[in-house]
Amino acid sequence: FGNSLNYFSLTMGTPISSSINTENRETPRGHHYVDLVIVNISKNVNDDDKDATKLTGYLDQDVFRRLRSVSVMSDEDDESSFLLPSLESLLNDQQENDPAIAGKLRKGIVRFVQSKDRYAALASLLMKRQALFQAVCHMNLNDPEQNNDNHTPNTTLCPPSFPLVDLPRTIHKKPYIPKFVVGQQNEEWFPFSISHQHPFVGMACPGSRTDSWPTTAAAETPLSLGFDIVVFDDYNPRLYNNVTEFVNVFRSSFAPLEQAILNRLMEKATTEEANLHLLRELYLMWSVKEAYTKALGVGLGFDFSSFATRLDDFDPDRDSLWQVLSSSLPEGPERRSAVIRRPATISFMDGRPGELWKFGFLFLWANDDTGPPQGCACVCWGPGSNNQDIGVTVNFCQLQELVNG
């Protein structure tokens, strides 16, 4: 939503891990987990200078000097073709650093003008590297059907340092990790999703405590996984007279049921508190849309108004996402890592049967957690009735920890 907002407004060290799941019944604790990795890059951006020379020095003297850069693509112009090297040669010293790939990855970072966008791009690249680590060390990348039942890293495949990898992309430009099995179709089987809106960068992927990733009930394909971050920024007063005018810009992106919720809140937006409620509701509803369409692999290429998401036990005539979710937050320090999980139904405006999905919401604080949250991370997985028995762990870490990990 951050990119959309800007458009309308302006024309791993080992990370600390915690997991607190809250929902309206006891949280099932199965053997499937989603890991959320959250990085706050505000300090990195604030410590940099106007020309971001500290970042370029950091890239050249630390990141790209320490980590090899490799690719699984045989042709930069054809991202659907693969080199398909052996997994061992990809991950160990048999495949040397490729200066051309390193240059391509570096260019993907420094092409941005603002420091916050450069650091977000760097964090995203490092998170893709961590996703590859999860896939290799905690599941069998060559044969995803073989489980790693003892939840310990597969040390025979884990080199001392993982490389930076130029991953293939789908036709919708979504990066993915292929199976690396010669002679088989190399479709995505290890789902991961990355999102950022300053100062947060985050990723969702199958967790290190996961012995396998579940498949849909209808077909032996992995459950889809989507993730989005929104920050509760104020509207731009140079472009909009009030919150209601700002929300109206995006209202057509929602289904009729969702528009009715926004309409109800807009009618009540006569106080500062009501305006904040309306603004947060817009952002939360948008994050749900983004997470779901990113799970499908299409993102903003999907018509947001063609479907509606309704949480279980949610009354659209009375409730709001902000009201339901914020009232579920625990008191004290635990709120910082509390994942509010809710089953939901996706209904389609064209009459197709609805889908069952599960959503998790993690409120975000840029500094301390004594005041109201500054944003929210939304993760979803599905479809199917077998998507419920999945836990969520939260890992807060610093940018340097992603380099060291």
Side-chain angles (χ1 to χ4, degrees), residues 332-356:
E334 292 183 346
R335 69 202 308 235
R336 191 175 185 87
S337 54
V339 179
I340 305 165
R341 305 192 311 160
R342 291 289 188 273
T345 300
I346 307 292
S347 57
F348 301 97
M349 300 302 100
D350 60 6
R352 281 180 290 160
E355 296 178 348
L356 297 176

Short mmCIF file of all heavy atoms in Angstrom, two decimals, residues 332-356:
data_model
loop_
_atom_site.label_atom_id
_atom_site.label_comp_id
_atom_site.label_asym_id
_atom_site.label_seq_id
_atom_site.Cartn_x
_atom_site.Cartn_y
_atom_site.Cartn_z
N GLY A 332 1.09 -5.26 27.94
CA GLY A 332 2.49 -5.42 28.28
C GLY A 332 3.37 -5.73 27.09
O GLY A 332 2.96 -5.62 25.92
N PRO A 333 4.62 -6.14 27.35
CA PRO A 333 5.61 -6.38 26.28
C PRO A 333 5.19 -7.46 25.29
O PRO A 333 5.68 -7.48 24.17
CB PRO A 333 6.87 -6.80 27.04
CG PRO A 333 6.66 -6.36 28.45
CD PRO A 333 5.19 -6.36 28.68
N GLU A 334 4.31 -8.36 25.72
CA GLU A 334 3.90 -9.45 24.83
C GLU A 334 3.21 -8.96 23.57
O GLU A 334 3.19 -9.65 22.55
CB GLU A 334 2.98 -10.42 25.58
CG GLU A 334 3.65 -11.22 26.68
CD GLU A 334 2.70 -12.20 27.33
OE1 GLU A 334 1.48 -12.07 27.09
OE2 GLU A 334 3.16 -13.09 28.05
N ARG A 335 2.64 -7.77 23.64
CA ARG A 335 1.88 -7.27 22.49
C ARG A 335 2.79 -7.08 21.27
O ARG A 335 2.32 -7.13 20.12
CB ARG A 335 1.18 -5.96 22.86
CG ARG A 335 2.12 -4.79 23.07
CD ARG A 335 1.52 -3.67 23.93
NE ARG A 335 0.24 -3.22 23.47
CZ ARG A 335 -0.05 -1.96 23.17
NH1 ARG A 335 0.89 -1.03 23.26
NH2 ARG A 335 -1.25 -1.60 22.79
N ARG A 336 4.07 -6.85 21.50
CA ARG A 336 4.99 -6.58 20.40
C ARG A 336 5.14 -7.78 19.46
O ARG A 336 5.40 -7.61 18.26
CB ARG A 336 6.35 -6.16 20.95
CG ARG A 336 7.29 -5.59 19.90
CD ARG A 336 8.58 -5.07 20.53
NE ARG A 336 9.42 -4.42 19.55
CZ ARG A 336 9.34 -3.14 19.22
NH1 ARG A 336 8.43 -2.38 19.80
NH2 ARG A 336 10.16 -2.61 18.33
N SER A 337 5.00 -8.98 19.98
CA SER A 337 5.17 -10.17 19.13
C SER A 337 3.89 -11.01 19.08
O SER A 337 3.94 -12.18 18.74
CB SER A 337 6.33 -11.02 19.64
OG SER A 337 6.17 -11.33 21.00
N ALA A 338 2.76 -10.40 19.42
CA ALA A 338 1.49 -11.14 19.40
C ALA A 338 0.95 -11.21 17.98
O ALA A 338 0.72 -10.19 17.34
CB ALA A 338 0.49 -10.45 20.31
N VAL A 339 0.77 -12.42 17.48
CA VAL A 339 0.18 -12.64 16.16
C VAL A 339 -1.29 -12.98 16.35
O VAL A 339 -1.63 -14.00 16.96
CB VAL A 339 0.90 -13.77 15.41
CG1 VAL A 339 0.25 -14.00 14.04
CG2 VAL A 339 2.37 -13.45 15.24
N ILE A 340 -2.15 -12.13 15.85
CA ILE A 340 -3.59 -12.33 15.98
C ILE A 340 -4.06 -13.11 14.76
O ILE A 340 -4.08 -12.60 13.64
CB ILE A 340 -4.32 -10.98 16.07
CG1 ILE A 340 -3.74 -10.16 17.23
CG2 ILE A 340 -5.82 -11.17 16.25
CD1 ILE A 340 -4.12 -8.69 17.18
N ARG A 341 -4.41 -14.37 14.98
CA ARG A 341 -4.76 -15.25 13.86
C ARG A 341 -6.28 -15.39 13.77
O ARG A 341 -6.96 -15.57 14.77
CB ARG A 341 -4.12 -16.62 14.05
CG ARG A 341 -2.60 -16.54 14.23
CD ARG A 341 -1.96 -17.91 14.11
NE ARG A 341 -2.63 -18.90 14.94
CZ ARG A 341 -2.54 -20.22 14.74
NH1 ARG A 341 -1.82 -20.66 13.74
NH2 ARG A 341 -3.14 -21.06 15.54
N ARG A 342 -6.77 -15.34 12.54
CA ARG A 342 -8.20 -15.47 12.31
C ARG A 342 -8.46 -16.24 11.01
O ARG A 342 -7.87 -15.93 9.97
CB ARG A 342 -8.87 -14.10 12.20
CG ARG A 342 -8.91 -13.29 13.48
CD ARG A 342 -9.88 -13.89 14.48
NE ARG A 342 -10.07 -13.04 15.63
CZ ARG A 342 -9.31 -13.05 16.72
NH1 ARG A 342 -8.29 -13.90 16.78
NH2 ARG A 342 -9.55 -12.24 17.73
N PRO A 343 -9.34 -17.23 11.04
CA PRO A 343 -9.80 -17.84 9.78
C PRO A 343 -10.70 -16.85 9.05
O PRO A 343 -11.33 -15.99 9.67
CB PRO A 343 -10.57 -19.08 10.25
CG PRO A 343 -10.98 -18.78 11.66
CD PRO A 343 -9.92 -17.87 12.22
N ALA A 344 -10.73 -16.97 7.75
CA ALA A 344 -11.52 -16.03 6.94
C ALA A 344 -12.02 -16.74 5.69
O ALA A 344 -11.48 -17.75 5.24
CB ALA A 344 -10.68 -14.82 6.56
N THR A 345 -13.07 -16.18 5.13
CA THR A 345 -13.63 -16.66 3.87
C THR A 345 -13.43 -15.60 2.80
O THR A 345 -13.76 -14.43 3.01
CB THR A 345 -15.13 -16.97 4.01
OG1 THR A 345 -15.32 -17.98 5.01
CG2 THR A 345 -15.71 -17.47 2.69
N ILE A 346 -12.90 -16.02 1.66
CA ILE A 346 -12.77 -15.15 0.49
C ILE A 346 -13.98 -15.42 -0.39
O ILE A 346 -14.19 -16.54 -0.85
CB ILE A 346 -11.48 -15.42 -0.29
CG1 ILE A 346 -10.25 -15.37 0.61
CG2 ILE A 346 -11.35 -14.45 -1.46
CD1 ILE A 346 -9.94 -14.01 1.15
N SER A 347 -14.80 -14.41 -0.61
CA SER A 347 -15.96 -14.55 -1.50
C SER A 347 -15.71 -13.73 -2.76
O SER A 347 -15.11 -12.66 -2.71
CB SER A 347 -17.24 -14.07 -0.81
OG SER A 347 -17.11 -12.74 -0.36
N PHE A 348 -16.19 -14.27 -3.90
CA PHE A 348 -15.92 -13.66 -5.20
C PHE A 348 -17.19 -13.05 -5.77
O PHE A 348 -18.27 -13.64 -5.69
CB PHE A 348 -15.34 -14.70 -6.16
CG PHE A 348 -14.06 -15.31 -5.66
CD1 PHE A 348 -14.06 -16.53 -5.00
CD2 PHE A 348 -12.86 -14.64 -5.83
CE1 PHE A 348 -12.88 -17.09 -4.53
CE2 PHE A 348 -11.67 -15.18 -5.36
CZ PHE A 348 -11.69 -16.41 -4.71
N MET A 349 -17.04 -11.90 -6.39
CA MET A 349 -18.19 -11.17 -6.92
C MET A 349 -18.78 -11.83 -8.16
O MET A 349 -19.93 -11.54 -8.52
CB MET A 349 -17.79 -9.72 -7.25
CG MET A 349 -17.27 -8.91 -6.06
SD MET A 349 -18.44 -8.79 -4.69
CE MET A 349 -17.80 -10.06 -3.55
N ASP A 350 -18.04 -12.72 -8.80
CA ASP A 350 -18.57 -13.38 -10.00
C ASP A 350 -19.31 -14.66 -9.68
O ASP A 350 -19.72 -15.39 -10.59
CB ASP A 350 -17.44 -13.67 -10.99
CG ASP A 350 -16.36 -14.59 -10.42
OD1 ASP A 350 -16.54 -15.10 -9.29
OD2 ASP A 350 -15.34 -14.80 -11.10
N GLY A 351 -19.51 -14.96 -8.40
CA GLY A 351 -20.31 -16.11 -8.02
C GLY A 351 -19.55 -17.40 -7.82
O GLY A 351 -20.15 -18.43 -7.50
N ARG A 352 -18.24 -17.38 -8.00
CA ARG A 352 -17.46 -18.58 -7.76
C ARG A 352 -17.56 -19.00 -6.30
O ARG A 352 -17.79 -18.16 -5.42
CB ARG A 352 -15.99 -18.33 -8.11
CG ARG A 352 -15.65 -18.39 -9.57
CD ARG A 352 -14.16 -18.12 -9.75
NE ARG A 352 -13.82 -16.72 -9.47
CZ ARG A 352 -12.60 -16.30 -9.17
NH1 ARG A 352 -11.60 -17.18 -9.06
NH2 ARG A 352 -12.37 -15.02 -8.94
N PRO A 353 -17.36 -20.30 -6.01
CA PRO A 353 -17.39 -20.73 -4.60
C PRO A 353 -16.33 -20.02 -3.79
O PRO A 353 -15.24 -19.71 -4.29
CB PRO A 353 -17.11 -22.24 -4.70
CG PRO A 353 -17.49 -22.62 -6.09
CD PRO A 353 -17.19 -21.42 -6.94
N GLY A 354 -16.63 -19.74 -2.54
CA GLY A 354 -15.68 -19.08 -1.67
C GLY A 354 -14.53 -19.98 -1.29
O GLY A 354 -14.57 -21.20 -1.46
N GLU A 355 -13.47 -19.38 -0.76
CA GLU A 355 -12.28 -20.12 -0.33
C GLU A 355 -12.01 -19.85 1.15
O GLU A 355 -12.24 -18.75 1.65
CB GLU A 355 -11.05 -19.68 -1.14
CG GLU A 355 -11.13 -19.98 -2.62
CD GLU A 355 -9.91 -19.46 -3.37
OE1 GLU A 355 -9.13 -18.68 -2.79
OE2 GLU A 355 -9.75 -19.83 -4.54
N LEU A 356 -11.51 -20.88 1.82
CA LEU A 356 -11.12 -20.74 3.22
C LEU A 356 -9.64 -20.41 3.31
O LEU A 356 -8.81 -21.12 2.73
CB LEU A 356 -11.41 -22.04 3.98
CG LEU A 356 -12.88 -22.48 4.05
CD1 LEU A 356 -12.99 -23.83 4.76
CD2 LEU A 356 -13.72 -21.43 4.77
#
